[in-house]
Amino acid sequence: MKRSAQLDFFRGLLLIVITIDHALTYNNIIKRFTYEFFGWVSAAEGFVYISGLTAGLVYYHKYVERGEQHVVKAARDRVVTLYKYHLALLFFAFLIIISNFYITEYWSQYYGYLFQKPLLSILLSSALLYQPMFMDILPMYTIFVAFIPILVKCFNKGLVWQVLATSIAIYIAGTLIHPYHVIDTLVSNKNIQTGFYNLLCWQLLFVMGAISGFMFYNNKTKKLISNSYIVYICAFVALVLFVEKNLHFGIAEINIDRLTEKPGLGIIRLVNFIVLCFLVIHVASRNKNWFVNKYICYLGKYSLEVFSFHIILIITFMPLKVYLNNICTIKLTDNFYLYPLSSLFVLFLLVPALYLAPTLVNKRIVPITK
């Protein structure tokens, strides 16, 4: 199966946006346009969805070509790889944090348990029960990939709608209870952290992506994504949510924080993502040459290495960002500031550094034109 340049492009673009969002201060005016500018949607939702789409596309192809056992083995190998990256990241993060006084001081509030009980925290992390800041994406993806063999087997049996209905039911259950609360009830250790994201809710994005991958593989999406009525409806909903998000008119004069929350993937956030995702897919299907920039595709091609490396960069240089912000700050409004030095550092040093990831992690030179 030919590799999709568009998927690599969007993965690479999302990795750049994720790096910028993680590196910049929340009230930085630049972040105003990179984080949830188009509505209650961030790069994280897109990244999880595309991960599911890629998994559905690739593993269903493997299922058709080589059978169920090959898919089980391939998924298991991927899970092991992701798990190793998770442990390696925690190990390197700990080394970086204890290497410098200023780095230690900055991260102590986020990784306090790692300082207090390093051995126990590493053991809990090995069981995916300790996921401090930035350490919860890979465990989430690891768990999702473990279920891929079941998903593609159901797809092959024609149980697509049943899979979606089950995923929606799990999502509804997740809106009522976070897995952390269950674990907290059963276990007395108050330092257990299962991450920022409610997996019972976020699995829906991954499953939707996997279903999309299955449909793309079987050419079942052309009529859907070219349907003008659906396009107009999605555009209208996206516009309404964009206006509400940025101008704060107040939908029915109710508090929508619960409906737009990120950890639990609130229903408005979910709808916002679906309509924007549909519009992007529609545009991409009609303009295939728009989304194939080789430099961005390069990052997407090595997304695991790039994502992991960006966490190392963030942990290493976040304290420097604070120092640069203190040197030069320009107030623009009551809510937004311009931080020239830290912004230039992130955009022209940190983001370009992502291109080192494939070479550093794989210990070999990877041609960017490959």
Side-chain angles (χ1 to χ4, degrees):
M1 184 176 67
K2 186 178 180 181
R3 190 179 186 92
S4 171
Q6 282 193 334
L7 283 179
D8 284 339
F9 175 88
F10 285 114
R11 270 200 304 264
L13 181 62
L14 290 172
L15 284 167
I16 292 173
V17 175
I18 287 172
T19 302
I20 293 172
D21 288 344
H22 283 168
L24 293 181
T25 305
Y26 183 77
N27 60 1
N28 190 316
I29 189 63
I30 296 175
K31 192 169 180 176
R32 174 70 178 83
F33 298 98
T34 61
Y35 184 76
E36 297 190 354
F37 174 72
F38 294 101
W40 286 281
V41 176
S42 68
E45 289 87 352
F47 199 74
V48 172
Y49 173 81
I50 289 183
S51 296
L53 192 157
T54 305
L57 191 64
V58 171
Y59 286 97
Y60 187 75
H61 171 75
K62 292 179 184 292
Y63 190 98
V64 172
E65 295 293 320
R66 304 187 64 176
E68 181 181 349
Q69 292 306 312
H70 178 74
V71 170
V72 172
K73 182 180 182 303
R76 183 176 64 242
D77 291 344
R78 187 61 172 172
V79 165
V80 171
T81 299
L82 291 166
Y83 182 72
K84 288 179 178 178
Y85 268 77
H86 165 64
L87 294 183
L89 273 179
L90 186 73
F91 175 73
F92 282 112
F94 184 55
L95 290 182
I96 294 169
I97 289 171
I98 65 175
S99 66
N100 180 280
F101 170 78
Y102 296 103
I103 297 178
T104 301
E105 185 179 38
Y106 181 89
W107 289 108
S108 60
Q109 59 180 318
Y110 303 104
Y111 291 82
Y113 192 53
L114 197 60
F115 290 105
Q116 299 169 17
K117 297 183 178 180
L119 181 59
L120 183 56
S121 64
I122 291 174
L123 290 175
L124 287 174
S125 183
S126 301
L128 305 185
L129 294 176
Y130 177 63
Q131 300 173 32
M133 192 175 187
F134 299 131
M135 297 294 171
D136 50 358
I137 291 294
L138 289 184
M140 176 170 64
Y141 188 38
T142 300
I143 294 171
F144 291 167
V145 171
F147 286 92
I148 275 293
I150 298 175
L151 293 179
V152 296
K153 185 176 181 180
C154 290
F155 296 161
N156 192 60
K157 290 183 177 181
L159 303 176
V160 176
W161 289 109
Q162 290 87 335
V163 168
L164 181 59
T166 301
S167 182
I168 292 174
I170 295 173
Y171 167 80
I172 294 173
T175 61
L176 302 176
I177 186 170
H178 193 293
Y180 169 79
H181 297 145
V182 177
I183 297 173
D184 187 49
T185 302
L186 299 175
V187 182
S188 59
N189 191 325
K190 300 301 180 182
N191 290 293
I192 285 181
Q193 299 178 36
T194 56
F196 176 79
Y197 302 95
N198 185 333
L199 270 62
L200 295 179
C201 295
W202 280 71
Q203 55 77 31
L204 179 56
L205 289 179
F206 186 85
V207 171
M208 288 168 54
I211 292 174
S212 300
F214 165 76
M215 293 179 67
F216 277 118
Y217 181 85
N218 290 285
N219 296 314
K220 295 182 177 182
T221 60
K222 291 183 179 180
K223 289 185 178 180
L224 179 65
I225 61 180
S226 61
N227 188 304
S228 59
Y229 293 105
I230 299 178
V231 172
Y232 293 144
I233 291 172
C234 288
F236 175 75
V237 174
L239 179 60
V240 170
L241 294 177
F242 170 79
V243 171
E244 169 60 27
K245 173 68 167 59
N246 291 281
L247 299 181
H248 310 291
F249 284 134
I251 298 177
E253 297 183 354
I254 61 175
N255 188 330
I256 60 173
D257 290 347
R258 182 72 176 86
L259 303 177
T260 60
E261 66 156 333
K262 189 172 182 177
L265 194 65
I267 186 63
I268 291 180
R269 177 176 289 271
L270 176 61
V271 171
N272 205 161
F273 172 77
I274 290 173
V275 296
L276 285 176
C277 182
F278 184 89
L279 293 174
V280 170
I281 292 174
H282 172 75
V283 173
S285 68
R286 295 171 65 91
N287 305 277
K288 295 184 178 180
N289 293 326
W290 286 10
F291 308 102
V292 291
N293 180 279
K294 66 179 180 180
Y295 297 102
I296 297 179
C297 288
Y298 179 78
L299 295 179
K301 186 177 181 180
Y302 301 98
S303 57
L304 177 58
E305 293 85 353
V306 173
F307 179 84
S308 302
F309 188 57
H310 112 275
I311 293 177
I312 297 299
L313 291 174
I314 295 298
I315 291 175
T316 303
F317 293 107
M318 282 287 271
L320 176 60
K321 177 199 70 175
V322 176
Y323 175 74
L324 294 175
N325 286 349
N326 291 332
I327 292 178
C328 184
T329 300
I330 301 174
K331 183 176 181 180
L332 300 176
T333 69
D334 290 338
N335 298 318
F336 295 106
Y337 294 77
L338 177 62
Y339 302 98
L341 295 180
S342 64
S343 298
L344 289 172
F345 175 77
V346 170
L347 296 177
F348 295 103
L349 287 176
L350 219 57
V351 171
L354 296 176
Y355 287 88
L356 298 173
T359 302
L360 292 175
V361 176
N362 288 328
K363 296 181 181 180
R364 60 186 175 86
I365 297 176
V366 185
I368 202 167
T369 56
K370 185 176 180 180

